[in-house]
């Protein structure tokens, strides 16, 4: 059996601005050969999760967007 060397593959970089400080937070997404997703927030936070964790995070963010739409709708 051949063992693959550890490798991390960059997926995406983006920036999210903080409403209080107006300082952006750099976000870097990568995947590795251990089948983990690495979400780096600035230089202080790294979220390392598997496919299920990514799916749960995606669902939570989608629910948050839906709630924002509801709030906007109620204001009109």
């Amino acid at each position: 059996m051949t063992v693959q060397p550890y490798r991390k593959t960059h997926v995406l970089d983006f920036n999210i601005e903080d409403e209080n400080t107006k300082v952006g937070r750099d976000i870097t997404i990568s995947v590795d050969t251990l089948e983990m997703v690495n979400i780096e927030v600035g230089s202080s936070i790294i979220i390392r999760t598997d496919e299920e964790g990514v799916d749960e995070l995606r669902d939570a963010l989608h629910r948050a967007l839906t709630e924002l739409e509801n709030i906007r709708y109620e204001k009109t």
Side-chain angles (χ1 to χ4, degrees), residues 10 12-18 21-30 38-47:
H10 177 263
L12 176 69
D13 289 326
F14 59 98
N15 189 277
I16 295 177
E17 190 173 287
D18 184 307
T21 63
K22 301 294 184 197
V23 173
R25 303 285 182 220
D26 292 324
I27 311 292
T28 299
I29 310 291
S30 60
N38 302 282
I39 304 166
E40 299 176 41
V41 182
S43 60
S44 59
I45 299 171
I46 297 175
I47 299 168

Side-chain angles (χ1 to χ4, degrees), residues 18-75:
D18 184 307
E19 75 176 52
N20 293 324
T21 63
K22 301 294 184 197
V23 173
R25 303 285 182 220
D26 292 324
I27 311 292
T28 299
I29 310 291
S30 60
V31 296
D32 64 31
T33 52
L34 299 175
E35 298 181 23
M36 299 296 284
V37 175
N38 302 282
I39 304 166
E40 299 176 41
V41 182
S43 60
S44 59
I45 299 171
I46 297 175
I47 299 168
R48 186 169 160 80
T49 187
D50 60 8
E51 188 173 346
E52 183 179 345
V54 170
D55 196 43
E56 290 173 350
L57 180 58
R58 180 182 56 137
D59 181 54
L61 292 172
H62 176 74
R63 289 179 187 208
L65 285 173
T66 300
E67 189 57 33
L68 285 175
E69 290 171 359
N70 292 339
I71 290 168
R72 268 193 226 103
Y73 179 77
E74 290 172 5
K75 287 181 176 180

